[in-house]
Amino acid sequence: MADSFPQEAVSRGNLRSETVLVLALSLGASAVSSLISFVGSLTKPGGLQDQAAKLNGSYAPDRPWLDLSWQMFGIATALVPVALVAHLLIREGTGLRAIGFDRARPWFDLGRGTLVAAGIGSAGLAFYLVAHATGFSLTVVPESLPEVWWKFPVLILSAIQNSVVEEVIVVGYLLRRLGQLGWTPMAALVASSVLRGSYHLYQGIGGFIGNVVMGVVFVLLYRRWGRVGPLVVAHALLDIGAFVGYALLAGRVDWLPTL
């Protein structure tokens, strides 16, 4: 049966199946989960701003070593889809260097990523505060960990894990595969950006819109630089600022929404 199909058609079919499976194991599944969570928030009595979207919570309150074990397990297993992408790209004959996630230009990645984080961070915070005040966003609680010695290291590792998973998969890998499948640049940009917004929908409409815009910016920067390295740096710095900043400021300043 396989000999009756052109090799190109078989190859595209395999690439399509591969892409669906990678997303189903990672951010595609997160998007579905986020949609279900958003529907639950919409149908719950009260406004969105009266509900919380919690990140980085405790798995075992009052049992810090067990909690730490679960935290590290969660971070490690979340990176498995990235390892899968690396494996698939190596089989293709390229590896992660094909999407610019390597050590070839560390200072470029760090410098550009820091600049991007500085620009997006302030605008993103302002957008969130407006969206929350107008009822389009849940109250985002970036962390609710107990006051233990490993709290800030875990928050930083969680931020790095988020950035690696999202930028490697939703930008570098997805755009590469969609291009190989014949998608136009505009269609691929829309798909990547909407996917990014979708798995943040648990935060509300504001989280969806803000991340779609961020997705567009990141895709354009990736196409300009040909590297996801700066995007990983930028995303990590943004999440570190959100997680650690919330831990230090929540309840101490009036302008930061809390529940």
Side-chain angles (χ1 to χ4, degrees):
M1 290 290 291
D3 293 339
S4 63
F5 292 94
Q7 184 63 35
E8 181 181 354
V10 174
S11 176
R12 283 200 174 192
N14 287 340
L15 287 178
R16 189 176 296 108
S17 299
E18 173 199 299
T19 304
V20 170
L21 288 171
V22 169
L23 293 179
L25 291 170
S26 58
L27 297 171
S30 297
V32 176
S33 173
S34 188
L35 175 61
I36 296 172
S37 176
F38 178 62
V39 172
S41 297
L42 279 181
T43 55
K44 186 176 181 179
L48 290 180
Q49 69 268 45
D50 298 323
Q51 303 176 49
K54 296 182 179 181
L55 294 73
N56 298 304
S58 176
Y59 292 103
D62 302 321
R63 302 185 68 185
W65 284 104
L66 181 61
D67 199 350
L68 176 60
S69 299
W70 279 116
Q71 298 291 340
M72 299 307 297
F73 174 78
I75 291 170
T77 53
L79 289 169
V80 171
V82 175
L84 175 59
V85 165
H87 171 74
L88 294 169
L89 292 177
I90 289 171
R91 291 186 60 182
E92 185 182 310
T94 56
L96 291 174
R97 68 178 183 276
I99 61 174
F101 190 54
D102 54 20
R103 294 176 292 176
R105 306 180 67 185
W107 294 112
F108 177 90
D109 294 345
L110 181 60
R112 296 299 174 90
T114 301
L115 290 175
V116 172
I120 290 182
S122 55
L125 177 59
F127 181 79
Y128 163 66
L129 293 176
V130 171
H132 182 271
T134 53
F136 287 97
S137 175
L138 282 76
T139 299
V140 178
V141 181
E143 72 84 24
S144 55
L145 294 174
E147 296 299 327
V148 289
W149 65 268
W150 48 259
K151 175 175 181 173
F152 290 105
V154 161
L155 290 176
I156 292 171
L157 287 175
S158 177
I160 294 172
Q161 170 252 299
N162 288 343
S163 64
V164 171
V165 171
E166 293 189 36
E167 305 317 324
V168 167
I169 294 177
V170 83
V171 177
Y173 171 78
L174 184 59
L175 291 180
R176 183 175 181 83
R177 286 294 183 257
L178 293 182
Q180 291 169 331
L181 289 169
W183 287 47
T184 66
M186 179 57 72
L189 180 149
V190 171
S192 175
S193 303
V194 170
L195 175 59
R196 185 188 295 268
S198 297
Y199 58 75
H200 286 95
L201 192 56
Y202 69 92
Q203 298 176 6
I205 297 296
F208 173 79
I209 295 174
N211 279 280
V212 168
V213 173
M214 177 176 165
V216 171
V217 173
F218 273 28
V219 168
L220 295 177
L221 291 177
Y222 173 68
R223 288 176 173 167
R224 180 178 180 86
W225 295 332
R227 298 185 58 78
V228 298
L231 308 183
V232 171
V233 171
H235 194 148
L237 292 175
L238 289 170
D239 278 7
I240 290 171
F243 298 167
V244 174
Y246 185 89
L248 295 174
L249 297 177
R252 296 179 175 87
V253 294
D254 296 334
W255 54 266
L256 184 63
T258 58
L259 285 181

